[in-house]
Amino acid sequence: MDTARTPTPSADDVRSAAPRGRALATEAVHAGRDDLAGRGLHAPPIDLSTTYPSYDSRGEAARIDAFAATGADPDGPPVYGRLGNPTVARFETALARLEGTESAVAFASGMAALSAVLLARAASGLRHVVAVRPLYGCSDHLLTAGVLGTEVTWTDPAGITDALRPDTGLVLVESPANPTLAEVDLRAIAHACGSVPLLVDNTFATPVLQRPAEHGARIVLHSATKYLGGHGDVLAGVVACDEEFAGALRQVRFATGGVLHPLAGYLLLRGLSTLPVRVRAASANAAGLARRLAADPRVARVHYPRLGGAMVSFEVHGDPHEVISRVRLITPAVSLGSVDTLIQHPASISHRIVDADDRRGAGVSDRLLRLSVGLEDADDLWADLDTALGRPAAADGDAGATEADGADAADGAVGAVDVVEARPVAAG
């Protein structure tokens, strides 16, 4: 906790302390913490205050007016927990540094973060969204259902320019995509967007493997619940972007109340410190399992991204529900990005909310299983999968077919699993 000896830092204090040009592994450990030694601290403090005392009510009024005008972090000490929190600000600073953006704004969940982006664009009269499937099932539903008053045009990457309208406020892609791990050329898509902001959901790749802002994306979204937290014990979302848009997002967060709890901010900052190590180790496990699955006659197709990463999807010849029921070491559960390995059936859970025809058209077949690979011993994981897959079926002509580009299994395209070592990108 903060004490009288170590006063609560402002967001500006935290941001201004960090030197530029450090490697990503160094930033992961030190970003958002650079002021600690000067405050006589080693571990980041947790500020649980919801409100803060001030005897200058005129000054408070001026700061609130300034926030209402631009959404910028108020100068000086904190005002109220819904405007911002010093512990959460540390995480935001660190994530922005890792993604290579000016700012980041944290929310109570990934869906709260996406909702804030849509609301911020709609507030400017830009309610139309162009999106490429597949997306996370709830993101797909949020757009399709028009819950926030948005209208969506679904297209493939080649059709983005033609789909743009005067009221288009956003182009949305996810790469690698959930759950097929399909990848898109972010630089080409950013060019196709013209002046319309490109939002990339970077949850699966993390800034360790990919920094979309370097390829022209103006908005980067994370379900921080996943790899950024990394231990299955925190629910959060975060948007990395330029400071101007961050101001708009802070205003939406203040108005809607989708704030991140300080303890979650602390856990996320702690999670970032091991993010590069976790992603590299889990990716090595995933690449090995992808190879073994691709050679197994019980598996019809394997999806593993050229980018690498810790996610593997595969389609079985048999009943996918039986595979789910037989795992023992691997946990059958939704979510992903934890230190332990999880498996789920997207058509039944994460993408159940998507119309069945749309789901299948995006390559999410009824036999597809999604594996979030953790840090366990790779041989132990394979032993569990081997048992769960059951006895080999009769020989099949396309057994062991693999996909590295996320295409629908029905199109007949067959390629090799493109295993890429997970190397962190440089920061700074």
Side-chain angles (χ1 to χ4, degrees):
M1 302 291 180
D2 277 320
T3 67
R5 184 176 64 85
T6 56
T8 297
S10 69
D12 286 340
D13 291 335
V14 175
R15 277 196 291 267
S16 64
R20 298 289 177 180
R22 302 187 300 202
L24 184 136
T26 303
E27 290 284 32
V29 173
H30 289 280
R33 307 166 179 85
D34 300 88
D35 65 324
L36 293 181
R39 296 176 180 274
L41 298 171
H42 183 241
I46 306 174
D47 188 327
L48 295 173
S49 297
T50 57
T51 192
Y52 300 86
S54 173
Y55 294 94
D56 181 6
S57 56
R58 292 185 182 88
E60 291 291 85
R63 293 204 294 154
I64 291 173
D65 286 347
F67 177 83
T70 67
D73 280 319
D75 293 330
V79 178
Y80 182 59
R82 197 149 39 87
L83 274 81
N85 172 272
T87 305
V88 173
R90 290 183 182 278
F91 164 66
E92 292 171 331
T93 297
L95 192 277
R97 295 297 301 274
L98 294 183
E99 282 290 2
T101 60
E102 290 181 337
S103 299
V105 183
F107 294 87
S109 69
M111 291 308 301
L114 177 57
S115 296
V117 172
L118 296 175
L119 289 171
R121 298 305 285 160
S124 299
L126 303 171
R127 297 181 176 275
H128 179 242
V129 177
V130 174
V132 176
R133 281 187 171 122
L135 297 174
Y136 168 53
C138 288
S139 299
D140 189 306
H141 175 70
L142 182 65
L143 295 175
T144 303
V147 174
L148 301 179
T150 54
E151 179 186 350
V152 62
T153 297
W154 297 100
T155 184
D156 59 31
I160 287 174
T161 299
D162 291 339
L164 299 177
R165 306 187 327 203
D167 64 337
T168 302
L170 195 69
V171 174
L172 174 58
V173 301
E174 185 175 356
S175 182
N178 187 352
T180 66
L181 305 179
E183 298 171 276
V184 297
D185 184 337
L186 296 181
R187 193 174 298 279
I189 287 180
H191 179 75
C193 290
S195 61
V196 177
L198 169 62
L199 183 155
V200 175
D201 187 329
N202 203 34
T203 299
F204 276 20
T206 81
V208 176
L209 301 180
Q210 170 179 272
R211 298 206 296 181
E214 294 178 347
H215 300 284
R218 291 167 58 187
I219 305 169
V220 181
L221 175 74
H222 286 272
S223 173
T225 306
K226 313 304 194 295
Y227 289 103
L228 302 189
H231 293 76
D233 56 6
V234 60
L235 194 69
V238 65
V239 178
C241 56
D242 60 42
E243 174 55 28
E244 181 180 1
F245 191 60
L249 291 177
R250 292 186 196 105
Q251 290 176 322
V252 171
R253 183 176 65 181
F254 175 74
T256 60
V259 297
L260 184 66
H261 192 275
L263 182 58
Y266 170 83
L267 291 173
L268 287 167
L269 185 64
R270 187 175 69 172
L272 289 184
S273 65
T274 60
L275 179 65
V277 177
R278 287 187 285 105
V279 168
R280 285 196 297 268
S283 297
N285 273 351
L289 290 177
R291 290 190 187 97
R292 284 170 144 168
L293 288 166
D296 196 296
R298 297 166 294 182
V299 175
R301 184 163 298 234
V302 176
H303 304 261
Y304 187 72
R306 291 184 175 91
L307 186 68
M311 300 298 299
V312 180
S313 293
F314 59 100
E315 299 168 45
V316 295
H317 289 298
D319 185 346
H321 301 285
E322 289 299 315
V323 178
I324 292 285
S325 71
R326 288 194 290 254
V327 293
R328 293 296 178 265
L329 175 64
I330 297 169
T331 302
V334 296
S335 199
L336 56 104
S338 185
V339 291
D340 60 319
T341 300
L342 308 178
I343 192 170
Q344 65 113 337
H345 182 239
S348 295
I349 305 180
S350 64
H351 289 70
R352 187 68 178 178
I353 201 168
V354 179
D355 176 82
D357 289 338
D358 291 336
R359 185 172 68 231
R360 293 176 186 127
V364 186
S365 80
D366 291 342
R367 293 182 182 272
L368 183 74
L369 292 167
R370 192 191 73 187
L371 192 67
S372 170
V373 183
L375 304 181
E376 301 95 336
D377 180 83
D379 288 337
D380 288 338
L381 290 172
W382 176 247
D384 196 38
L385 275 177
D386 184 36
T387 300
L389 286 168
R391 293 183 177 180
D396 192 311
D398 68 349
T402 61
E403 271 303 325
D405 61 3
D408 185 1
D411 67 9
V414 177
V417 174
D418 191 357
V419 176
V420 179
E421 182 182 353
R423 294 186 178 91
V425 297

